[in-house]
Amino acid sequence: RHEIKNPQANEPRSVVLRSVVAMASSRLLRRCAVISLLLALLLACAPQTVLLLNRALVLSLALSPAVLLSPAAAASSTIQQCLFLPALRHALGRSAALTKWGQWAATRPDLVPPSVCEALSVLHAHAPAHAAAISRAEVEAATGASIEDYFDAWEDEPLVSGSIGQV
């Protein structure tokens, strides 16, 4: 969490920043959901093309906040630290491939600015976990039995999560 201090009032503005980011994210997610639904309706016509277009749209929308903030981040270190780097981390944590790319970029200070490498290094140890229902459904589909029938014990909370899987 980053706070911008107002030198005149000496009050943190982080609440305002979080509200603005939350409002933008919720609008973006609603639009993404509507467009994804429309594309899903077209799935019967050309499944591979629609799936590809849907994935491209979702990834474009996930990356757009970081892309749009990049010119301002280049001009202001405060914007870079408070808005751009968190948006970039969030965007790269949205899929396994992007998380893997972010982990790789974090190890390349010769190609990526050190501040970005430092911000992306969080993806090495704190990859986002997926929902327990997803794990449960995948295991049940693979085994052909319910979790309770196949395992003596099952923890819904993962011990660790990586960019490609979790335990």
Side-chain angles (χ1 to χ4, degrees):
R1 179 179 138 195
H2 298 283
E3 292 182 353
I4 300 174
K5 299 280 184 178
N6 182 345
Q8 291 141 359
N10 199 20
E11 295 176 4
R13 291 191 213 164
S14 63
V15 174
V16 174
L17 287 175
R18 277 187 269 142
S19 298
V20 169
V21 170
M23 286 189 315
S25 296
S26 65
R27 282 188 206 145
L28 187 63
L29 289 175
R30 281 195 304 264
R31 288 181 185 150
C32 181
V34 168
I35 293 170
S36 292
L37 179 62
L38 291 174
L39 288 175
L41 292 174
L42 296 173
L43 186 61
C45 299
Q48 294 301 323
T49 304
V50 174
L51 286 174
L52 183 62
L53 289 173
N54 186 37
R55 185 67 178 152
L57 177 67
V58 169
L59 291 176
S60 297
L61 290 174
L63 291 170
S64 62
V67 171
L68 294 173
L69 284 169
S70 61
S76 167
S77 62
T78 304
I79 290 174
Q80 182 184 34
Q81 291 297 318
C82 296
L83 296 174
F84 173 73
L85 293 176
L88 183 63
R89 261 194 316 267
H90 177 73
L92 295 180
R94 304 274 299 165
S95 77
L98 290 177
T99 300
K100 207 58 169 159
W101 184 86
Q103 290 171 341
W104 171 82
T107 65
R108 298 301 308 262
D110 57 323
L111 300 175
V112 179
S115 60
V116 175
C117 287
E118 183 181 333
L120 294 180
S121 67
V122 171
L123 295 173
H124 287 291
H126 303 293
H130 60 262
I134 294 172
S135 296
R136 191 174 280 274
E138 288 291 324
V139 171
E140 288 176 350
T143 60
S146 73
I147 294 290
E148 291 76 19
D149 293 341
Y150 204 79
F151 293 98
D152 291 333
W154 178 270
E155 296 287 331
D156 280 337
E157 187 69 27
L159 294 175
V160 67
S161 180
S163 61
I164 303 299
Q166 65 190 33
V167 179

